[in-house]
């Protein structure tokens, strides 16, 4: 079997199976408790108290979404949104706004800015691919801007 290093104590040990990460069952339990504590700190008593207070604001029609700024209608489902850095909360957010944040990726411009050929400098640009990336060439390979 393979030898590994325990993340808790740093000691070396021989793995009994491929998914073993800790040298002893005690270290495994210690790591599990630390993960549980982190989860409790994010959704613990402070989170519950703040959510109850914000729920009263939502029920009164006074809440706005921390992400999009739109109003949250009374009775509408909402989330107590965590700050992006994981420390604290932003406030009430629409469910769709809060849960879309983990899927957001920078999007390419809808209409990519096309580079222009520079024959004097020996730079010629090809057509953009679907991601908006334009390949640079040292000579004209084909005429794509003005097809004939």
């Amino acid at each position: 079997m393979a030898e590994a290093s325990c993340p808790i104590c740093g000691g070396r040990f021989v793995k009994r199976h491929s998914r073993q990460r800790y040298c002893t069952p005690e270290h495994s339990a210690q790591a599990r408790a630390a993960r549980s504590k982190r989860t409790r700190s994010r959704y613990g008593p402070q989170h519950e108290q703040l959510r109850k207070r914000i729920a009263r604001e939502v029920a009164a029609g006074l809440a706005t979404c921390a992400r999009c700024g739109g109003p949250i209608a009374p009775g509408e489902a909402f989330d107590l949104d965590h700050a992006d850095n994981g420390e604290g909360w932003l406030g009430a957010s629409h469910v769709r706004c809060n849960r879309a944040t983990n899927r957001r990726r920078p999007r390419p411009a809808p209409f990519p800015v096309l580079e222009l050929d520079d024959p004097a400098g020996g730079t010629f640009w090809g057509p953009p691919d679907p991601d908006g990336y334009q390949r640079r060439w040292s000579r004209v390979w084909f005429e794509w801007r003005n097809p004939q």
Side-chain angles (χ1 to χ4, degrees), residues 91-130:
S93 289
H94 294 111
V95 171
R96 66 183 177 276
C97 295
N98 179 39
R99 297 181 188 177
T101 56
N102 68 349
R103 293 185 299 276
R104 281 198 190 124
R105 301 283 183 268
R107 294 181 181 165
F111 300 103
V113 176
L114 299 177
E115 298 288 342
L116 299 177
D117 294 342
D118 179 18
T123 303
F124 300 90
W125 294 93
D129 64 9

Side-chain angles (χ1 to χ4, degrees), residues 10 24 48 58 68-69 121 127-128 131:
T24 64
E48 294 301 321
V58 170
C68 72
D131 294 330

Side-chain angles (χ1 to χ4, degrees), residues 43-60:
Y43 298 102
Q46 286 180 321
H47 180 90
E48 294 301 321
Q49 289 172 355
L50 186 56
R51 184 171 169 79
K52 285 179 186 177
R53 185 172 64 79
I54 290 177
R56 289 191 294 268
E57 293 176 12
V58 170

Side-chain angles (χ1 to χ4, degrees), residues 3 10 16 25 31 39 41 45 56 58 62 71 93 101 109 114 122 126 132 137 140:
E3 193 172 290
R16 288 186 295 261
T39 301
S41 68
R56 289 191 294 268
V58 170
L62 303 173
S93 289
T101 56
L114 299 177
W137 303 102
V140 177

